[in-house]
Amino acid sequence: MAHAPREIILAKSLGFQYVGARKAAIQGIDLTIKENEFILLTGPSGCGKTSLCRCLNGLIPNFYQGEWTGELLVDGLSVTTQLTSELSRRVGYVFQNPENQLFALTVEKDIAFGPENLGLSREVIRQRVDEAMNVTGTLPLKDLAPYELSGGQQQRVALAGVLAMKPSVIVLDEPTSFLDPRTAEEVMRATDDLRRELGLTIVVVEHRLDLVARFAERIIVMDGGKIVADGGLEETLDEKFDLLEGLGVGVPRVSLLWTMLRRDGLVSGKVPTHVESAAASLQGMMNQ
Amino acid sequence: MSLRTLEGFKFSTLKTPVHLLDPRTKFLIVIAVLVPALLFANIYVMIVLLLSQIPLLLVGKVARRWALSLRAGVFLSALIFVVNLFTGSYLSAIALTLRFLVLLTSFSLFFMTTSPDDLGLALDRIGAIRWLSRRWLGYPNALSFTFTTAVRLVPTLAVDAQTVVDAQRSRGLELDKGNLLKRVRNYIPILIPLLLIAIRRSLELAEALESRGFPGKEGRTSLFQLRLRPVDYAIIALSLVATIGSFWVFFHYKIPVL
Amino acid sequence: MITLDKVSYTYRSGQKALTDIDLNLEGGDFIAIMGENGAGKTTLAKHLNGLLKPSQGRVLVDGEDTRKASVAKLSRKVGLVFQNPDHLLFSETVRDEVAFGLKNFGFEPDVVNKQVVRTLEALGLSEYAETSPFLLSGGERKRVALAAILATEPDYLILDEPTIGQDYQQKERLRNFILQLYSQGKAVVMITHDVEFVAESNPKVILLSQGRIVASGPADSVLSKDELVKKASLVRPQMSRLFSELTKYGFPSNVVDVHRARILLEEKLSEVKVRVAQNS
C-alpha cells in the first residue's frame, strides 16, 4: 500500500448489555484497528468476543436489543446511526455454523443474495458473483444446494457470499469449529490469501490459537467483557504467557513447550508461535 | 403412509421442457385441469383430464415418481369411492374417485417440475402478494422469502428430526410401545427439541441474512428473473381456452354424470 | 465387551458408509475414533447401541446380537452422547432431564432421585438442578446432556465430538472426567477430530477414512504418521511436526505430547548447556 494504513475500526469506551442480562457483555472497550491487519480475538467462553464482533457489523444494536454505551466507528460510520444493511457493505460476517448462514436453494443464488440486497444492476451482480466464486474456488459448486455441501465447502460459500458485498473488513466467528483440521487450515489460509490480495482487514475469533498463529499478527484477549491484552501475537505470547494460560486460552503447544524450557533456563529468546519458528529456534539452541 | 410417498411431490432437479416452463404457466395448467375437474362429474371428462397429463409426466420424466403419489392416494381414493357408493350412484363414485386422482396428479406434476426457487421468484412478482407482504411484514419480498426459507430448511430439519429421534431412543424412549395416550406423550421429547432447533436455526439464518444486507434500503434487484418464452405464451393461451371453455360449456350444457 | 465382526453398512441410497469394520471394546478402554467429515464415524457409533443394524457382519454387545435387541435395551449398557445437546434437551428442569433415562429404564423413584443427585454433583451441575436447561450456556447444556446419559451408568460411553466449541479449561475438565470413567472400569469411546486433545489424552486411536479402518494403535504412533493423518483429513499434532524437524539430533519420531517432548528436550538441552559451559 502506498499510503499509511488508515484506522478502520475505532472503539471508545464501548459497552453493551443485553436486555435482561445481569451484567454487561462488554464494557470499556478501547480499540483501534488499522486497515489490512489480521487480528486474532480470543478469550474464555463468555468473555464477550462474539458480542464485540456483533457490534462491528451492527447486529448489535439492530438485531440484539440492549443498552449501548460509548462510541464505535467502522470505516468512518458511527454504528449506532446505521442499519445493519448499510454496515454490511463494509463489514462481512462469517458465522460458526456453516449450514445456518446459507439461505438460498443453490450456491450461486446464495452468493448473489447479498449484492441483490444492495440494489445493484444485474450486470454488476453477475460480475461480483463470478468474481467471488472464482476467488474462493466455489465455481464447481454453483448449482448445488447448501445441504449437499460438506462443512468446508459451506464455509467457503459463506465466505464467497460475504466477499460479493465487497467489504473492507471480514469478521469470522469461530469459523472452523465444525471443520476437520485439514479443512480448517485451508479455510484460514484462503482467508489470509484474500486479505493480502484484496487488502482486507480480518478479525478471527478462535479458541485454538495454533490454527491462526501462522497468519495473525495481532492478538486481542478478552475476559469478563473487557480487553485484558492487546498487542503483537509474538510479544503477547512472550510477555503475557501466564495470563493467557490462566485464562484457559488454547496457547499453541510449541509456545507452551518453549515457555517451560525457558523457565528451566534451557533456552532463551522469544516464544515461538508456530511449528516452523519453534523448530528454527530449537535448532539454533542445539547448534550452539 | 410412509415418507416415501412424499417423493411424489418433491422437486426433481432436471432440465426437461416441462421443468423449464415458467412457474406461472404451470400454475395455469393446474387451473386448466382443476376447473373442468371441479365443474363436471363426468367419467369421460375425468379420463380425458387424466390422460392429457400423462404426456406432461413423460416429457417431464417424473412418471415414476407420480406413481408413488398415486400410491399415497390409494387409501383416500378407496375412502372416497366407498363414501360415494352410499351417497350416490356407482358411476358417480367412480367419477369422483377419478376426480381425486386427477387433482392429485395435477398438483404432483406441478410440484415435481417447479423448483421452490422459481416459485419464490414467481411469488415475488405477484402484486397481491407483494402488497400483502408490505402490509404484514413491512417489505414487499418478505413473504416470498419466508416461503423460500421454509423450503430451504425442510431437508435440514428432516435430518434434525431423525437425529432427535435417534438421540431420545438412545435414552430408552420407545416410540412404538404403550397405549394411545402414552404414545402421544412420547412425542413430546421429539417435538420440543425439534421446535427449538427449528427456531434456533431460523434465528441464526436471520442474523446471517441481515449481515448480508437484507432487506436493503433501496429496491432489491434479482440476478435471476423469470422470463415468459413463446412456448409459455402458447401453453398459457391453451390453458385459458380450456378454462374459459369449461365455464362456457358448464353454463350452456348439462353434462351428466356418466 | 462390544465386538464388531466384519461390519459393513450401506445406506438405502446405495452409498456404502462402512466396510469390513473389526473392533473390540472392553471395560477400561479409552479409544478415539478419528477421520474426515463423512468418514463414517457417527455411523459407526450408531451401530454400537443398535440405532443402526449392520448390512453385513454383526455387532455383539456383551454377547447379544444388536439385530435381535431393541435400542432401549442396548442403551442400558451403551450410552451415546450426541454432538449437539439441543437434540436431547426438552425438560422443564435439569433434574427432570437427567431423570428421563432413568425413568425410561424403569427404576424406582427413590433410586432415580439418588442417581440424579449423584450425577449432577459429579458434573458440577447441582446448582442448576431446578433451572431450565434452555437458560444455560452452550457448554453447560453439553454437560447436562452428558449427565443425562451418565445417570444410568452405562458400561460403555460414546461421546460424539465432545470438544467442539469448548475452550481450553472446559476441555481439561472433560479430559479429567474421562480419565475417571475409564479408570473406574468403563469403556470410553470418543469421536473427534481434535488432534491436540487426543495427543494429550493418549487413547488408542482408530483412524477411519471413507468407511474403512486405515490405522489402529496408540495415539503417538498413529498420529505421527503423515500419510495416514493426511488420508483422514487431519493434521499431525504440533509436537510431531516439530520433532520431524529435529530428527537429526537423534530424537524419536513418535512424539505427540508436550510433556514427553519437554523431557526429551530437557535432556538434550542440558547436554548442550554443559558443552557450551565447558567450551567457554
Side-chain angles (χ1 to χ4, degrees):
Chain A
M1 270 186 215
H3 55 273
R6 60 196 170 107
E7 290 168 355
I8 200 158
I9 293 177
L10 199 58
K12 280 209 194 101
S13 296
L14 179 63
F16 186 76
Q17 185 164 344
Y18 292 100
V19 166
R22 260 173 294 143
K23 57 184 173 98
I26 53 175
Q27 40 181 316
I29 305 285
D30 290 311
L31 185 57
T32 308
I33 296 181
K34 296 211 171 80
E35 236 177 339
N36 209 227
E37 286 196 74
F38 193 129
I39 295 185
L40 168 56
L41 179 56
T42 191
S45 288
C47 68
K49 336 185 266 293
T50 298
S51 301
L52 179 55
C53 289
R54 288 175 179 160
C55 292
L56 294 178
N57 81 332
L59 280 175
I60 290 176
N62 293 308
F63 196 85
Y64 293 96
Q65 265 87 52
E67 233 178 274
W68 174 292
T69 45
E71 223 180 81
L72 178 60
L73 289 172
V74 170
D75 207 0
L77 297 172
S78 169
V79 170
T80 42
T81 63
Q82 300 293 324
L83 290 174
T84 319
S85 49
E86 186 55 42
L87 289 166
S88 66
R89 290 178 194 248
R90 328 246 189 221
V91 182
Y93 203 118
V94 176
F95 295 81
Q96 185 180 26
N97 192 327
E99 194 165 27
N100 293 346
Q101 43 195 334
L102 301 183
F103 155 77
L105 293 153
T106 67
V107 164
E108 193 178 20
K109 290 194 177 125
D110 197 278
I111 297 174
F113 182 75
E116 283 176 345
N117 289 331
L118 296 177
L120 301 168
S121 76
R122 212 162 270 133
E123 298 77 47
V124 175
I125 298 181
R126 178 80 261 163
Q127 212 180 27
R128 288 204 185 184
V129 170
D130 290 336
E131 250 179 70
M133 286 198 288
N134 273 319
V135 109
T136 53
T138 49
L139 194 53
L141 308 170
K142 78 178 171 89
D143 289 322
L144 294 176
Y147 69 87
E148 292 179 293
L149 305 172
S150 73
Q153 290 170 326
Q154 285 171 339
Q155 283 301 44
R156 275 190 293 149
V157 171
L159 203 49
V162 161
L163 286 172
M165 301 289 280
K166 290 212 182 287
S168 5
V169 181
I170 301 189
V171 174
L172 299 101
D173 195 347
E174 294 193 59
T176 61
S177 289
F178 292 98
L179 306 179
D180 59 53
R182 180 139 253 127
T183 314
E185 205 165 87
E186 281 167 13
V187 170
M188 281 292 101
R189 185 175 302 275
T191 306
D192 191 49
D193 287 342
L194 287 168
R195 176 186 73 99
R196 290 167 195 279
E197 270 173 48
L198 305 172
L200 298 168
T201 309
I202 304 281
V203 177
V204 177
V205 175
E206 183 51 74
H207 282 302
R208 300 161 298 170
L209 268 49
D210 51 303
L211 279 174
V212 197
R214 203 172 299 134
F215 312 108
E217 302 148 346
R218 180 173 161 198
I219 181 173
I220 298 175
V221 186
M222 290 182 71
D223 184 32
K226 305 202 173 119
I227 292 181
V228 297
D230 180 356
L233 183 57
E234 282 187 5
E235 287 78 48
T236 309
L237 270 174
D238 197 55
E239 292 154 25
K240 303 234 169 105
F241 190 86
D242 294 329
L243 169 68
L244 293 176
E245 248 212 325
L247 286 177
V249 170
V251 293
R253 304 289 87 195
V254 293
S255 309
L256 175 62
L257 179 65
W258 187 273
T259 312
M260 292 197 282
L261 294 171
R262 194 168 65 174
R263 242 174 246 155
D264 292 339
L266 293 166
V267 297
S268 60
K270 273 211 150 143
V271 170
T273 59
H274 50 275
V275 173
E276 290 78 20
S277 50
S281 303
L282 277 175
Q283 282 167 345
M285 287 289 132
M286 308 272 209
N287 290 336
Q288 281 176 320
Chain B
M1 198 163 62
S2 70
L3 278 168
R4 299 255 341 260
T5 54
L6 284 178
E7 295 275 317
F9 294 89
K10 198 171 113 171
F11 174 63
S12 63
T13 29
L14 296 169
K15 292 214 162 161
T16 70
V18 180
H19 282 75
L20 292 174
L21 287 173
D22 191 291
R24 295 165 289 184
T25 313
K26 282 179 276 198
F27 184 66
L28 282 175
I29 295 179
V30 171
I31 300 288
V33 168
L34 214 79
V35 164
L38 291 175
L39 287 178
F40 307 113
N42 180 295
I43 292 182
Y44 293 123
V45 170
M46 297 308 154
I47 292 178
V48 163
L49 286 174
L50 201 54
L51 291 178
S52 63
Q53 295 187 81
I54 294 190
L56 290 172
L57 288 167
L58 291 171
V59 171
K61 298 197 184 140
V62 287
R64 199 167 294 146
R65 292 230 204 148
W66 165 62
L68 281 175
S69 77
L70 285 186
R71 238 179 59 178
V74 158
F75 181 69
L76 267 176
S77 305
L79 191 65
I80 292 175
F81 186 73
V82 167
V83 165
N84 278 289
L85 268 185
F86 287 116
T87 61
S89 71
Y90 184 98
L91 292 172
S92 75
I94 297 181
L96 293 176
T97 310
L98 282 176
R99 173 194 284 174
F100 172 70
L101 292 176
V102 164
L103 297 180
L104 192 64
T105 305
S106 181
F107 283 113
S108 170
L109 177 61
F110 179 77
F111 284 111
M112 284 196 290
T113 58
T114 309
S115 88
D117 257 339
D118 287 343
L119 262 179
L121 279 173
L123 284 176
D124 232 356
R125 300 280 300 264
I126 298 176
I129 295 194
R130 291 175 74 89
W131 177 82
L132 203 62
S133 179
R134 210 178 277 123
R135 286 292 299 276
W136 272 354
L137 302 166
Y139 305 105
N141 35 39
L143 216 48
S144 72
F145 273 132
T146 309
F147 171 76
T148 311
T149 309
V151 174
R152 142 84 184 92
L153 284 177
V154 164
T156 311
L157 288 176
V159 172
D160 280 324
Q162 183 62 56
T163 310
V164 171
V165 168
D166 285 345
Q168 305 297 38
R169 284 179 71 199
S170 304
R171 293 164 81 187
L173 183 70
E174 290 180 281
L175 291 169
D176 45 0
K177 289 241 173 87
N179 59 39
L180 189 62
L181 186 64
K182 184 96 176 65
R183 287 205 203 193
V184 169
R185 270 179 50 196
N186 275 344
Y187 274 89
I188 295 179
I190 309 283
L191 292 174
I192 294 187
L194 194 55
L195 189 63
L196 290 169
I197 285 180
I199 294 177
R200 210 170 257 131
R201 279 200 195 274
S202 1
L203 283 174
E204 282 185 32
L205 195 55
E207 219 181 353
L209 295 188
E210 211 172 295
S211 302
R212 285 200 277 154
F214 187 78
K217 266 193 306 185
E218 304 102 59
R220 193 178 193 282
T221 358
S222 195
L223 180 61
F224 298 97
Q225 19 161 210
L226 295 173
R227 215 169 284 139
L228 291 173
R229 299 162 305 154
V231 65
D232 285 294
Y233 285 114
I235 298 187
I236 290 177
L238 276 172
S239 306
L240 286 174
V241 164
T243 310
I244 297 173
S246 304
F247 276 115
W248 189 84
V249 169
F250 181 71
F251 285 121
H252 282 79
Y253 298 94
K254 179 89 174 121
I255 307 283
V257 169
L258 180 69
Chain C
M1 178 153 85
I2 298 185
T3 309
L4 272 78
D5 186 15
K6 279 199 132 10
V7 167
S8 293
Y9 183 75
T10 311
Y11 285 113
R12 239 185 333 187
S13 59
Q15 190 195 2
K16 203 160 195 203
L18 293 174
T19 311
D20 282 347
I21 304 289
D22 285 313
L23 183 59
N24 278 335
L25 193 64
E26 38 186 6
D29 278 348
F30 177 26
I31 295 183
I33 299 182
M34 310 183 79
E36 75 269 13
N37 284 350
K41 310 190 290 284
T42 305
T43 309
L44 179 53
K46 290 190 189 175
H47 277 83
L48 297 173
N49 75 342
L51 275 173
L52 292 177
K53 320 281 189 203
S55 314
Q56 285 157 315
R58 58 187 188 154
V59 179
L60 296 171
V61 175
D62 289 347
E64 202 169 4
D65 191 322
T66 58
R67 281 172 301 196
K68 305 204 180 84
S70 68
V71 173
K73 185 159 183 237
L74 292 167
S75 296
R76 286 174 191 254
K77 298 202 189 138
V78 183
L80 179 49
V81 184
F82 280 67
Q83 182 177 334
N84 186 351
D86 297 330
H87 283 122
L88 275 97
L89 304 176
F90 72 98
S91 309
E92 278 182 58
T93 63
V94 167
R95 175 193 296 275
D96 288 338
E97 196 66 63
V98 176
F100 182 65
L102 291 160
K103 289 195 192 143
N104 284 334
F105 292 147
F107 288 104
E108 297 295 318
D110 49 314
V111 174
V112 172
N113 282 328
K114 219 175 51 160
Q115 273 302 96
V116 169
V117 170
R118 268 182 67 181
T119 314
L120 289 179
E121 232 185 89
L123 284 164
L125 292 167
S126 305
E127 55 178 305
Y128 299 124
E130 302 302 325
T131 320
S132 161
F134 307 110
L135 295 176
L136 300 175
S137 72
E140 285 157 353
R141 292 204 303 274
K142 245 182 141 108
R143 267 190 292 155
V144 173
L146 184 56
I149 303 295
L150 280 174
T152 54
E153 297 197 353
D155 297 319
Y156 309 91
L157 185 67
I158 303 163
L159 305 167
D160 195 343
E161 299 286 1
T163 61
I164 286 187
Q166 308 269 296
D167 66 28
Y168 195 72
Q169 272 176 355
Q170 291 166 325
K171 289 194 217 183
E172 278 293 291
R173 268 206 294 251
L174 179 67
R175 191 203 320 280
N176 290 330
F177 195 72
I178 292 178
L179 180 65
Q180 256 182 22
L181 288 171
Y182 72 77
S183 52
Q184 277 170 13
K186 298 205 190 293
V188 179
V189 176
M190 183 172 63
I191 296 176
T192 184
H193 57 235
D194 195 335
V195 168
E196 297 293 348
F197 185 82
V198 170
E200 231 159 289
S201 318
N202 200 27
K204 171 174 164 191
V205 171
I206 293 179
L207 221 53
L208 220 57
S209 179
Q210 296 182 321
R212 283 177 199 271
I213 296 182
V214 298
S216 169
D220 53 11
S221 117
V222 175
L223 293 179
S224 44
K225 300 208 171 78
D226 211 31
E227 337 79 56
L228 285 178
V229 161
K230 252 198 206 131
K231 212 169 176 190
S233 205
L234 300 170
V235 174
R236 276 188 296 144
Q238 288 213 325
M239 290 298 110
S240 173
R241 287 181 284 157
L242 178 63
F243 275 69
S244 294
E245 308 289 321
L246 302 175
T247 46
K248 63 181 174 196
Y249 301 103
F251 289 114
S253 61
N254 64 347
V255 185
V256 295
D257 170 47
V258 175
H259 301 287
R260 181 160 172 233
R262 176 194 187 176
I263 292 171
L264 290 168
L265 282 168
E266 270 178 355
E267 247 187 78
K268 219 17 145 311
L269 287 168
S270 302
E271 286 172 25
V272 170
K273 211 174 169 190
V274 165
R275 201 193 345 119
V276 167
Q278 280 178 342
N279 287 346
S280 54

